[in-house]
Amino acid sequence: MKRYEIYVMPSAWVELQQLPGNVKQRLRKAIDGLTEHPTPPASKRLTYTSSSKVLLYRLRIDRWRVVYSIDEEAAWGRHPGGAASPSL
């Protein structure tokens, strides 16, 4: 099965670390799950105009939103196995 790599923007990482423990744990679990299932049923594709093949999605967890992109071109060129930066 193809695995995706997850890169977390530094500003998002700081915000994630400041959340209460139970919320942080739920968000981490949902983000980690994107490595194997990048478009879970709870995600919604956002409209975004770009010349590249980058797809933008939103994942709702209670009142929190995770906005992420899927770059299929980069995914084909990378070794499967997944890495997180910074580590979740």
Coordinates of all heavy atoms in Angstrom, one line a residue:
M1 N 0.8 -1.2 0.0 CA 0.0 0.0 0.0 C 0.9 1.2 0.0 O 1.9 1.3 0.7 CB -0.9 0.0 1.2 CG -1.7 1.3 1.4 SD -2.8 1.2 2.8 CE -4.3 0.6 1.9
K2 N 0.5 2.2 -0.8 CA 1.2 3.5 -0.9 C 1.1 4.3 0.4 O 0.0 4.5 0.9 CB 0.7 4.2 -2.1 CG 1.4 5.5 -2.4 CD 0.9 6.0 -3.7 CE 0.9 7.4 -3.9 NZ 0.4 7.9 -5.2
R3 N 2.2 4.8 0.9 CA 2.1 5.7 2.1 C 2.6 7.1 1.7 O 3.4 7.2 0.9 CB 3.1 5.2 3.2 CG 2.5 3.9 3.9 CD 3.4 3.5 5.0 NE 3.6 4.6 6.0 CZ 3.0 4.6 7.2 NH1 2.2 3.6 7.5 NH2 3.3 5.6 8.0
Y4 N 2.0 8.0 2.3 CA 2.3 9.4 2.0 C 3.1 10.0 3.1 O 3.1 9.5 4.3 CB 1.0 10.3 1.9 CG 0.2 10.0 0.6 CD1 -0.6 8.8 0.5 CD2 0.3 10.8 -0.5 CE1 -1.3 8.6 -0.6 CE2 -0.4 10.5 -1.6 CZ -1.2 9.4 -1.7 OH -1.9 9.1 -2.8
E5 N 3.9 11.0 2.8 CA 4.7 11.7 3.8 C 3.9 12.9 4.3 O 3.2 13.5 3.6 CB 6.0 12.2 3.2 CG 6.9 11.1 2.8 CD 8.2 11.6 2.2 OE1 8.4 12.8 2.0 OE2 9.1 10.8 1.9
I6 N 4.1 13.2 5.6 CA 3.4 14.3 6.2 C 4.4 15.4 6.6 O 5.4 15.0 7.3 CB 2.6 13.9 7.4 CG1 1.4 12.9 7.0 CG2 2.0 15.1 8.1 CD1 0.6 12.4 8.1
Y7 N 4.2 16.6 6.2 CA 5.0 17.7 6.6 C 4.1 18.7 7.3 O 3.1 19.1 6.7 CB 5.7 18.4 5.4 CG 6.7 17.4 4.7 CD1 6.3 16.7 3.6 CD2 8.0 17.3 5.2 CE1 7.2 15.8 3.0 CE2 8.9 16.4 4.6 CZ 8.5 15.7 3.5 OH 9.4 14.8 3.0
V8 N 4.5 19.1 8.5 CA 3.7 20.0 9.3 C 4.4 21.4 9.3 O 5.6 21.4 9.6 CB 3.5 19.5 10.7 CG1 2.7 20.5 11.5 CG2 2.8 18.2 10.7
M9 N 3.7 22.4 8.9 CA 4.3 23.7 8.9 C 4.6 24.1 10.3 O 3.8 23.8 11.2 CB 3.3 24.7 8.3 CG 3.0 24.5 6.8 SD 1.9 25.7 6.0 CE 2.9 27.1 6.2
P10 N 5.7 24.8 10.5 CA 6.1 25.2 11.9 C 5.1 26.0 12.7 O 4.8 25.7 13.8 CB 7.4 26.0 11.7 CG 7.9 25.5 10.4 CD 6.7 25.2 9.5
S11 N 4.3 26.9 12.0 CA 3.3 27.6 12.7 C 2.2 26.7 13.1 O 1.6 26.9 14.2 CB 2.8 28.7 11.8 OG 2.2 28.2 10.6
A12 N 1.8 25.7 12.3 CA 0.8 24.8 12.7 C 1.2 23.9 13.8 O 0.5 23.5 14.7 CB 0.4 23.9 11.5
W13 N 2.5 23.5 13.8 CA 3.1 22.7 14.9 C 3.0 23.4 16.2 O 2.6 22.8 17.2 CB 4.5 22.3 14.6 CG 5.2 21.4 15.6 CD1 6.1 21.8 16.5 CD2 4.9 20.1 15.8 NE1 6.5 20.7 17.3 CE2 5.7 19.6 16.9 CE3 4.0 19.2 15.3 CZ2 5.7 18.4 17.4 CZ3 4.0 17.9 15.8 CH2 4.8 17.5 16.8
V14 N 3.3 24.7 16.2 CA 3.3 25.5 17.5 C 1.8 25.5 18.0 O 1.6 25.3 19.2 CB 3.8 26.9 17.2 CG1 3.5 27.8 18.4 CG2 5.3 26.9 17.0
E15 N 0.9 25.8 17.1 CA -0.5 25.8 17.5 C -1.0 24.5 18.0 O -1.7 24.4 19.0 CB -1.4 26.2 16.3 CG -1.3 27.7 16.0 CD -2.3 28.1 14.8 OE1 -3.4 27.6 14.9 OE2 -1.9 28.8 14.0
L16 N -0.6 23.4 17.4 CA -1.0 22.0 17.9 C -0.4 21.8 19.3 O -1.1 21.2 20.1 CB -0.4 21.0 16.9 CG -0.7 19.5 17.2 CD1 -2.2 19.3 17.1 CD2 0.0 18.6 16.2
Q17 N 0.8 22.2 19.6 CA 1.4 22.0 20.9 C 0.7 22.8 22.0 O 0.7 22.4 23.1 CB 2.9 22.3 20.9 CG 3.7 21.5 20.0 CD 3.5 20.0 20.3 OE1 3.6 19.6 21.4 NE2 3.2 19.2 19.3
Q18 N 0.0 23.8 21.6 CA -0.7 24.7 22.6 C -2.1 24.2 22.9 O -2.8 24.8 23.8 CB -0.7 26.1 22.2 CG 0.7 26.7 22.1 CD 0.7 28.1 21.4 OE1 -0.3 28.6 20.9 NE2 1.8 28.7 21.5
L19 N -2.6 23.2 22.2 CA -4.0 22.7 22.4 C -4.1 21.8 23.7 O -3.1 21.3 24.1 CB -4.5 21.9 21.2 CG -4.6 22.7 19.9 CD1 -4.9 21.8 18.8 CD2 -5.7 23.8 20.1
P20 N -5.3 21.7 24.3 CA -5.5 20.8 25.4 C -5.1 19.4 25.0 O -5.2 19.0 23.8 CB -6.9 20.9 25.7 CG -7.4 22.2 25.1 CD -6.5 22.4 23.9
G21 N -4.7 18.5 25.9 CA -4.2 17.2 25.7 C -5.1 16.3 24.9 O -4.7 15.7 23.9
N22 N -6.4 16.3 25.2 CA -7.4 15.4 24.5 C -7.6 15.9 23.1 O -7.7 15.0 22.2 CB -8.7 15.3 25.2 CG -9.4 16.6 25.3 OD1 -8.8 17.7 25.3 ND2 -10.7 16.6 25.5
V23 N -7.6 17.1 22.8 CA -7.7 17.7 21.4 C -6.5 17.4 20.6 O -6.5 16.9 19.5 CB -8.0 19.2 21.4 CG1 -8.1 19.7 20.0 CG2 -9.3 19.5 22.2
K24 N -5.3 17.6 21.3 CA -4.0 17.4 20.6 C -3.9 15.9 20.2 O -3.5 15.6 19.1 CB -2.9 17.7 21.6 CG -1.5 17.7 20.9 CD -0.4 17.9 21.9 CE -0.7 18.8 23.1 NZ 0.5 19.0 23.9
Q25 N -4.3 15.0 21.1 CA -4.3 13.6 20.8 C -5.2 13.2 19.6 O -4.8 12.4 18.8 CB -4.7 12.8 22.1 CG -4.5 11.3 21.9 CD -4.9 10.6 23.2 OE1 -5.5 11.1 24.1 NE2 -4.5 9.3 23.3
R26 N -6.4 13.7 19.6 CA -7.3 13.4 18.5 C -6.8 14.0 17.2 O -6.9 13.3 16.1 CB -8.7 14.0 18.8 CG -9.4 13.2 19.9 CD -10.8 13.7 20.2 NE -11.6 13.4 19.0 CZ -12.7 14.0 18.7 NH1 -13.1 15.0 19.4 NH2 -13.4 13.7 17.6
L27 N -6.2 15.2 17.2 CA -5.7 15.8 15.9 C -4.5 15.0 15.5 O -4.3 14.7 14.3 CB -5.3 17.2 16.1 CG -6.5 18.2 16.3 CD1 -6.1 19.6 16.7 CD2 -7.3 18.2 14.9
R28 N -3.6 14.6 16.4 CA -2.4 13.8 16.0 C -2.8 12.5 15.4 O -2.2 12.1 14.4 CB -1.5 13.6 17.2 CG -0.7 14.7 17.6 CD 0.2 14.3 18.8 NE 1.3 15.2 18.9 CZ 2.2 15.1 19.8 NH1 2.2 14.1 20.7 NH2 3.2 15.9 19.9
K29 N -3.8 11.8 16.0 CA -4.2 10.5 15.4 C -4.8 10.7 14.0 O -4.5 9.9 13.1 CB -5.3 9.9 16.4 CG -5.7 8.6 16.0 CD -6.7 8.0 17.0 CE -7.2 6.6 16.6 NZ -8.1 6.1 17.5
A30 N -5.6 11.8 13.8 CA -6.2 12.0 12.5 C -5.1 12.4 11.5 O -5.2 11.9 10.4 CB -7.2 13.2 12.6
I31 N -4.1 13.2 11.9 CA -3.1 13.5 11.0 C -2.2 12.3 10.6 O -1.8 12.1 9.5 CB -2.2 14.7 11.6 CG1 -3.0 16.0 11.6 CG2 -0.9 14.9 10.7 CD1 -2.4 17.1 12.4
D32 N -1.9 11.5 11.6 CA -1.1 10.3 11.4 C -1.8 9.4 10.4 O -1.2 8.7 9.6 CB -0.8 9.5 12.7 CG 0.3 10.2 13.5 OD1 1.1 11.0 12.9 OD2 0.4 9.9 14.7
G33 N -3.2 9.3 10.5 CA -4.0 8.4 9.7 C -3.9 8.9 8.2 O -4.2 8.0 7.3
L34 N -3.6 10.1 7.9 CA -3.5 10.6 6.5 C -2.3 9.9 5.8 O -2.4 10.0 4.5 CB -3.3 12.1 6.5 CG -4.5 12.9 7.1 CD1 -4.2 14.4 7.1 CD2 -5.8 12.7 6.3
T35 N -1.4 9.3 6.5 CA -0.3 8.7 5.7 C -0.7 7.5 4.9 O -0.2 7.2 3.8 CB 0.9 8.2 6.7 OG1 0.3 7.3 7.6 CG2 1.5 9.4 7.4
E36 N -1.7 6.8 5.4 CA -2.3 5.6 4.7 C -3.6 5.9 4.0 O -3.8 5.3 2.9 CB -2.4 4.5 5.6 CG -1.1 4.0 6.1 CD -1.2 2.7 6.9 OE1 -2.2 2.0 6.7 OE2 -0.3 2.4 7.7
H37 N -4.4 6.8 4.5 CA -5.7 7.2 3.9 C -5.7 8.7 3.8 O -6.3 9.3 4.7 CB -6.8 6.6 4.7 CG -6.7 5.1 5.0 ND1 -7.0 4.2 4.0 CD2 -6.4 4.4 6.1 CE1 -6.8 3.0 4.4 NE2 -6.4 3.1 5.7
P38 N -5.2 9.3 2.7 CA -5.1 10.7 2.6 C -6.5 11.4 2.4 O -6.6 12.6 2.6 CB -4.2 11.0 1.4 CG -4.3 9.7 0.6 CD -4.5 8.6 1.6
T39 N -7.5 10.6 2.0 CA -8.8 11.2 1.8 C -9.9 10.4 2.6 O -10.7 9.7 2.0 CB -9.2 11.3 0.3 OG1 -9.1 9.9 -0.2 CG2 -8.4 12.2 -0.4
P40 N -9.9 10.5 3.9 CA -10.8 9.7 4.7 C -12.3 10.3 4.5 O -12.4 11.4 3.9 CB -10.4 10.0 6.2 CG -9.7 11.3 6.1 CD -9.0 11.3 4.8
P41 N -13.3 9.5 4.8 CA -14.7 9.9 4.5 C -15.0 11.3 5.1 O -15.8 12.0 4.6 CB -15.5 8.8 5.2 CG -14.6 7.6 5.2 CD -13.2 8.2 5.4
A42 N -14.4 11.7 6.2 CA -14.7 12.9 6.9 C -14.0 14.1 6.2 O -14.3 15.3 6.6 CB -14.2 12.9 8.4
S43 N -13.2 13.9 5.2 CA -12.5 15.0 4.6 C -13.3 15.6 3.4 O -14.2 14.9 2.9 CB -11.1 14.5 4.0 OG -11.3 13.6 2.9
K44 N -13.0 16.8 3.1 CA -13.7 17.5 2.0 C -12.7 18.1 1.1 O -11.8 18.8 1.6 CB -14.7 18.6 2.6 CG -15.4 19.3 1.5 CD -16.3 20.4 2.1 CE -16.9 21.2 1.0 NZ -17.8 22.3 1.5
R45 N -12.9 17.9 -0.2 CA -12.0 18.6 -1.1 C -12.4 20.0 -1.3 O -13.5 20.4 -1.5 CB -12.1 17.9 -2.5 CG -11.0 18.4 -3.5 CD -11.0 17.6 -4.7 NE -10.1 18.2 -5.7 CZ -9.9 17.7 -6.9 NH1 -10.6 16.7 -7.3 NH2 -9.1 18.3 -7.7
L46 N -11.4 20.9 -1.2 CA -11.6 22.3 -1.3 C -11.3 22.8 -2.8 O -10.5 22.2 -3.4 CB -10.7 23.1 -0.3 CG -10.8 22.7 1.1 CD1 -9.8 23.5 2.0 CD2 -12.2 23.0 1.6
T47 N -12.0 23.8 -3.2 CA -11.8 24.3 -4.5 C -10.5 25.2 -4.5 O -10.4 26.1 -3.6 CB -12.9 25.2 -5.0 OG1 -13.7 25.6 -4.0 CG2 -13.8 24.4 -6.0
Y48 N -9.6 25.0 -5.3 CA -8.3 25.7 -5.3 C -7.8 25.6 -6.8 O -7.8 24.6 -7.4 CB -7.4 25.0 -4.4 CG -6.0 25.5 -4.4 CD1 -5.7 26.8 -3.9 CD2 -4.9 24.8 -4.9 CE1 -4.4 27.3 -3.9 CE2 -3.6 25.3 -4.9 CZ -3.4 26.5 -4.4 OH -2.1 27.0 -4.4
T49 N -7.5 26.8 -7.3 CA -7.0 26.9 -8.6 C -5.4 26.9 -8.6 O -4.8 27.8 -8.0 CB -7.5 28.2 -9.3 OG1 -8.9 28.2 -9.2 CG2 -7.1 28.2 -10.8
S50 N -4.8 26.0 -9.3 CA -3.4 25.9 -9.4 C -3.0 25.1 -10.6 O -3.7 24.3 -11.1 CB -2.8 25.2 -8.1 OG -1.5 25.0 -8.3
S51 N -1.8 25.5 -11.2 CA -1.4 24.8 -12.4 C -0.8 23.4 -12.1 O -0.7 22.6 -12.9 CB -0.3 25.7 -13.1 OG 0.8 25.9 -12.2
S52 N -0.4 23.2 -10.8 CA 0.2 21.9 -10.4 C -1.0 21.0 -10.1 O -2.1 21.3 -10.0 CB 1.2 22.1 -9.3 OG 0.5 22.4 -8.1
K53 N -0.6 19.7 -9.8 CA -1.6 18.7 -9.4 C -1.7 18.6 -7.9 O -1.9 17.5 -7.4 CB -1.2 17.4 -10.0 CG -1.3 17.4 -11.5 CD -1.0 16.1 -12.1 CE -1.1 16.1 -13.6 NZ -0.9 14.8 -14.2
V54 N -1.6 19.7 -7.2 CA -1.8 19.7 -5.7 C -3.3 19.8 -5.4 O -3.9 20.7 -5.9 CB -1.0 20.9 -5.1 CG1 -1.2 20.9 -3.6 CG2 0.5 20.7 -5.4
L55 N -3.7 18.9 -4.6 CA -5.1 18.9 -4.2 C -5.2 19.4 -2.8 O -4.5 18.9 -1.9 CB -5.7 17.5 -4.3 CG -5.6 16.8 -5.7 CD1 -6.1 15.4 -5.6 CD2 -6.4 17.6 -6.7
L56 N -6.2 20.2 -2.5 CA -6.4 20.8 -1.1 C -7.6 20.2 -0.5 O -8.7 20.1 -1.1 CB -6.6 22.3 -1.2 CG -6.0 23.2 -0.2 CD1 -4.5 22.9 0.0 CD2 -6.2 24.6 -0.5
Y57 N -7.4 19.7 0.8 CA -8.5 19.1 1.5 C -8.7 19.7 2.9 O -7.7 20.3 3.4 CB -8.3 17.6 1.7 CG -8.4 16.8 0.4 CD1 -7.4 16.7 -0.5 CD2 -9.6 16.2 0.1 CE1 -7.5 16.0 -1.6 CE2 -9.8 15.5 -1.1 CZ -8.7 15.4 -1.9 OH -8.9 14.7 -3.1
R58 N -9.8 19.5 3.5 CA -10.1 19.9 4.9 C -10.6 18.7 5.6 O -11.5 18.0 5.2 CB -11.1 21.0 4.9 CG -11.4 21.5 6.3 CD -12.7 22.2 6.4 NE -13.8 21.3 6.3 CZ -15.0 21.6 5.9 NH1 -15.3 22.8 5.6 NH2 -16.0 20.6 5.8
L59 N -10.1 18.6 6.9 CA -10.6 17.5 7.7 C -11.1 18.2 9.0 O -10.4 18.9 9.7 CB -9.4 16.6 8.0 CG -9.7 15.3 8.9 CD1 -10.8 14.4 8.2 CD2 -8.5 14.5 9.1
R60 N -12.4 17.9 9.4 CA -13.0 18.5 10.6 C -12.9 17.5 11.7 O -13.2 16.3 11.6 CB -14.4 18.8 10.3 CG -14.7 20.0 9.5 CD -16.1 20.2 9.3 NE -16.8 20.6 10.5 CZ -18.0 21.0 10.6 NH1 -18.7 21.1 9.6 NH2 -18.5 21.3 11.8
I61 N -12.4 18.0 12.8 CA -12.4 17.2 14.1 C -13.0 18.1 15.1 O -12.4 19.1 15.6 CB -11.0 16.8 14.5 CG1 -10.4 15.8 13.5 CG2 -11.0 16.1 15.8 CD1 -9.3 16.2 12.7
D62 N -14.3 17.9 15.4 CA -15.1 18.8 16.3 C -15.0 20.2 15.7 O -15.4 20.4 14.6 CB -14.6 18.7 17.7 CG -14.9 17.4 18.4 OD1 -15.9 16.8 18.0 OD2 -14.2 17.0 19.3
R63 N -14.6 21.1 16.5 CA -14.5 22.5 16.0 C -13.2 22.9 15.4 O -13.0 24.0 15.0 CB -14.9 23.5 17.1 CG -13.9 23.5 18.2 CD -14.4 24.5 19.3 NE -13.2 24.8 20.1 CZ -13.0 26.0 20.7 NH1 -13.8 27.0 20.5 NH2 -11.9 26.2 21.4
W64 N -12.3 21.9 15.3 CA -11.0 22.2 14.7 C -10.9 21.7 13.3 O -11.6 20.8 12.8 CB -9.9 21.4 15.5 CG -10.0 21.7 17.0 CD1 -10.7 21.0 17.9 CD2 -9.5 22.9 17.6 NE1 -10.6 21.7 19.1 CE2 -9.9 22.8 19.0 CE3 -8.8 24.0 17.2 CZ2 -9.5 23.8 19.9 CZ3 -8.4 25.0 18.1 CH2 -8.8 24.9 19.4
R65 N -10.1 22.4 12.5 CA -10.0 22.1 11.1 C -8.5 21.8 10.8 O -7.6 22.5 11.2 CB -10.4 23.2 10.2 CG -11.8 23.8 10.4 CD -12.9 22.8 10.1 NE -14.2 23.3 10.3 CZ -14.9 23.2 11.4 NH1 -14.4 22.7 12.5 NH2 -16.1 23.7 11.5
V66 N -8.2 20.8 10.0 CA -6.9 20.5 9.5 C -7.0 20.7 7.9 O -7.7 20.0 7.3 CB -6.5 19.0 9.8 CG1 -5.1 18.7 9.2 CG2 -6.4 18.8 11.3
V67 N -6.3 21.7 7.4 CA -6.2 21.9 6.0 C -4.9 21.3 5.5 O -3.9 21.7 6.0 CB -6.3 23.4 5.7 CG1 -6.2 23.6 4.2 CG2 -7.7 24.0 6.2
Y68 N -5.0 20.5 4.5 CA -3.8 19.8 4.0 C -3.9 19.7 2.5 O -4.9 19.8 1.9 CB -3.6 18.5 4.7 CG -4.7 17.5 4.4 CD1 -4.5 16.5 3.5 CD2 -5.9 17.5 5.1 CE1 -5.5 15.5 3.2 CE2 -6.9 16.6 4.9 CZ -6.7 15.6 4.0 OH -7.7 14.7 3.7
S69 N -2.7 19.4 1.9 CA -2.7 19.2 0.4 C -2.1 17.9 0.1 O -1.3 17.3 0.9 CB -1.8 20.3 -0.2 OG -0.5 20.2 0.2
I70 N -2.4 17.4 -1.0 CA -1.9 16.1 -1.5 C -1.2 16.4 -2.8 O -1.9 16.9 -3.8 CB -3.0 15.1 -1.7 CG1 -3.8 14.8 -0.4 CG2 -2.5 13.8 -2.3 CD1 -5.0 13.9 -0.6
D71 N 0.0 16.1 -2.9 CA 0.8 16.4 -4.1 C 1.1 15.0 -4.7 O 2.1 14.3 -4.4 CB 2.1 17.1 -3.8 CG 2.9 17.6 -5.0 OD1 2.5 17.1 -6.1 OD2 3.8 18.4 -4.9
E72 N 0.3 14.6 -5.7 CA 0.5 13.3 -6.3 C 1.8 13.2 -7.1 O 2.4 12.1 -7.2 CB -0.7 13.0 -7.3 CG -2.0 12.7 -6.5 CD -2.0 11.4 -5.7 OE1 -1.1 10.5 -5.9 OE2 -2.8 11.3 -4.8
E73 N 2.2 14.3 -7.7 CA 3.5 14.2 -8.5 C 4.7 13.9 -7.5 O 5.5 13.1 -7.9 CB 3.7 15.6 -9.2 CG 2.8 15.8 -10.3 CD 3.0 17.1 -11.0 OE1 3.7 18.0 -10.4 OE2 2.4 17.3 -12.1
A74 N 4.7 14.6 -6.4 CA 5.8 14.3 -5.4 C 5.6 12.9 -4.8 O 6.7 12.3 -4.5 CB 5.8 15.4 -4.3
A75 N 4.4 12.5 -4.6 CA 4.2 11.1 -4.0 C 4.8 10.0 -4.9 O 5.3 9.0 -4.4 CB 2.7 10.9 -3.8
W76 N 4.7 10.2 -6.2 CA 5.2 9.2 -7.1 C 6.7 9.1 -7.1 O 7.4 8.1 -7.4 CB 4.7 9.4 -8.5 CG 3.3 9.0 -8.7 CD1 2.2 9.9 -8.8 CD2 2.7 7.7 -8.6 NE1 1.0 9.2 -8.9 CE2 1.3 7.9 -8.8 CE3 3.2 6.5 -8.5 CZ2 0.4 6.8 -8.8 CZ3 2.3 5.4 -8.5 CH2 1.0 5.6 -8.6
G77 N 7.4 10.3 -6.8 CA 8.8 10.4 -6.9 C 9.5 10.0 -5.6 O 10.7 9.9 -5.6
R78 N 8.8 9.8 -4.6 CA 9.4 9.5 -3.3 C 9.3 8.0 -2.9 O 8.4 7.3 -3.3 CB 8.7 10.3 -2.2 CG 9.0 11.8 -2.3 CD 8.6 12.5 -1.1 NE 8.8 13.9 -1.3 CZ 8.0 14.9 -1.0 NH1 6.8 14.6 -0.6 NH2 8.3 16.1 -1.3
H79 N 10.2 7.6 -2.1 CA 10.2 6.2 -1.6 C 9.1 6.1 -0.6 O 9.0 6.9 0.3 CB 11.6 5.9 -0.9 CG 11.7 4.5 -0.4 ND1 11.1 4.1 0.8 CD2 12.2 3.5 -1.0 CE1 11.4 2.9 1.0 NE2 12.0 2.4 -0.1
P80 N 8.2 5.1 -0.8 CA 7.2 4.9 0.2 C 7.7 4.5 1.6 O 8.8 3.9 1.7 CB 6.3 3.8 -0.4 CG 7.2 3.1 -1.3 CD 8.2 4.1 -1.8
G81 N 7.1 4.9 2.6 CA 7.5 4.6 3.9 C 7.1 5.7 4.9 O 7.0 5.5 6.1
G82 N 7.0 6.9 4.4 CA 6.5 8.0 5.2 C 7.4 8.5 6.2 O 8.2 7.7 6.8
A83 N 7.4 9.8 6.4 CA 8.2 10.4 7.4 C 7.4 11.6 7.8 O 6.6 12.2 7.1 CB 9.6 10.9 6.8
A84 N 7.6 12.0 9.0 CA 6.9 13.2 9.5 C 7.9 14.2 9.9 O 9.0 13.9 10.4 CB 6.1 12.8 10.7
S85 N 7.6 15.5 9.7 CA 8.5 16.6 10.0 C 7.7 17.7 10.5 O 6.9 18.3 9.7 CB 9.3 17.0 8.8 OG 10.1 18.1 9.1
P86 N 7.8 18.2 11.7 CA 8.5 17.5 12.8 C 7.7 16.3 13.2 O 6.5 16.2 12.8 CB 8.5 18.5 13.9 CG 7.5 19.6 13.5 CD 7.3 19.5 12.1
S87 N 8.3 15.4 14.0 CA 7.6 14.1 14.2 C 6.4 14.4 15.0 O 6.3 15.2 15.9 CB 8.6 13.2 15.0 OG 8.9 13.8 16.2
L88 N 5.4 13.6 14.7 CA 4.1 13.7 15.4 C 4.2 12.6 16.4 O 3.6 12.1 17.1 CB 2.9 13.4 14.5 CG 2.8 14.5 13.4 CD1 1.7 14.1 12.4 CD2 2.4 15.8 14.0

